[in-house]
Amino acid sequence: GDSVTQMEGPVTLSEEAFLTINCTYTATGYPSLFWYVQYPGEGLQLLLKATKADDKGSNKGFEATYRKETTSFHLEKGSVQVSDSAVYFCALWDTGRRALTFGSGTRLQVQP
Amino acid sequence: GAGVSQSPSNKVTEKGKDVELRCDPISGHTALYWYRQSLGQGLEFLIYFQGNSAPDKSGLPSDRFSAERTGGSVSTLTIQRTQQEDSAVYLCASSFSGGAGGANVLTFGAGSRLTVL
């Protein structure tokens, strides 16, 4: 079945550092791809999405590009802030299940 | 409502007891989803409703788990004879449609944290 693999955390960075969180997927066809974020004590929120190859999703300074040749959707941000500390989940739309399939999540800790 | 509402937010129960978790989706959202998030784990898909119907129940971990949805709105996840391994955060989400559309976006509730002693 479809699956998502993302880098294990925790990732610890200093404020203003560059962030990359790797995400690769295995799926039949070209599913829509998503990044969700879970801030401490809060529910999951959609961060960004891309629905087809070469699409770039962006929001709040975060970006991810849908790369079908490498089956990847890596999350990047040029300059992280303490407020970006959260758990980030990569996900794909599983057309068989008609639901999102998530990766295991990556915890990001940004230090001042 | 304005968002997905889940209750209770926290539930502590003794092993062997039954529990019910409730989800009130966003008004007008026809699709509803249940996920489980165990400590240090990702999100495990449990079940999906389109309207009141659940096309695939194979994601439920065991026959102690059941879910229903009535009136195309509120859903209840029931766990019978709870075990310690059922301890987790149970997340509910809803979306405007449950089709295979690539733009489908799920809105999640804050979750119900279940602790089985």
Side-chain angles (χ1 to χ4, degrees):
Chain A
D2 294 357
S3 65
V4 176
T5 302
Q6 57 182 109
M7 62 188 290
E8 290 194 18
V11 174
T12 302
L13 296 173
S14 298
E15 206 164 22
E16 300 183 1
F18 184 86
L19 168 71
T20 300
I21 300 178
N22 290 337
C23 170
T24 58
Y25 67 89
T26 302
T28 303
Y30 303 106
S32 295
L33 302 174
F34 304 79
W35 277 99
Y36 276 78
V37 59
Q38 189 173 36
Y39 296 103
E42 298 185 17
L44 276 166
Q45 304 172 26
L46 176 68
L47 181 59
L48 53 83
K49 62 179 172 72
T51 58
K52 61 183 187 296
D54 298 326
D55 265 3
K56 178 185 284 187
S58 61
N59 186 25
K60 299 181 180 181
F62 290 88
E63 293 183 341
T65 301
Y66 192 143
R67 303 285 189 198
K68 69 175 183 180
E69 61 276 8
T70 53
T71 62
S72 65
F73 193 54
H74 304 323
L75 183 68
E76 297 182 336
K77 186 175 186 182
S79 176
V80 294
Q81 305 300 311
V82 172
S83 57
D84 294 327
S85 298
V87 181
Y88 292 82
F89 292 89
C90 186
L92 61 79
W93 181 257
D94 187 325
T95 55
R97 283 180 160 180
R98 285 180 284 180
L100 288 173
T101 293
F102 286 88
S104 57
T106 302
R107 181 175 299 277
L108 170 66
Q109 182 71 42
V110 180
Q111 298 176 335
Chain B
V4 178
S5 178
Q6 293 188 245
S7 61
S9 55
N10 276 286
K11 175 72 175 179
V12 180
T13 190
E14 294 180 347
K15 178 181 171 181
K17 300 284 190 182
D18 296 352
V19 297
E20 284 190 353
L21 307 177
R22 175 189 167 105
C23 173
D24 199 345
I26 292 173
S27 178
H29 280 194
T30 60
L32 185 147
Y33 308 80
W34 284 99
Y35 285 83
R36 179 167 71 173
Q37 185 175 22
S38 302
L39 185 64
Q41 303 295 314
L43 284 88
E44 176 188 6
F45 172 72
L46 299 180
I47 193 168
Y48 148 71
F49 287 91
Q50 180 60 46
N52 292 334
S53 174
D56 180 4
K57 299 182 180 181
S58 63
L60 294 175
S62 75
D63 59 7
R64 297 185 293 104
F65 287 72
S66 62
E68 66 174 12
R69 188 180 186 194
T70 55
S73 181
V74 172
S75 175
T76 302
L77 178 68
T78 301
I79 309 172
Q80 295 180 309
R81 306 181 302 282
T82 52
Q83 304 294 312
Q84 288 183 333
E85 61 263 28
D86 299 335
S87 296
V89 177
Y90 290 83
L91 296 172
C92 177
S94 68
S95 69
F96 184 70
S97 73
N104 204 352
V105 173
L106 274 60
T107 301
F108 282 82
S112 291
R113 181 178 298 277
L114 174 65
T115 302
V116 182
L117 302 177

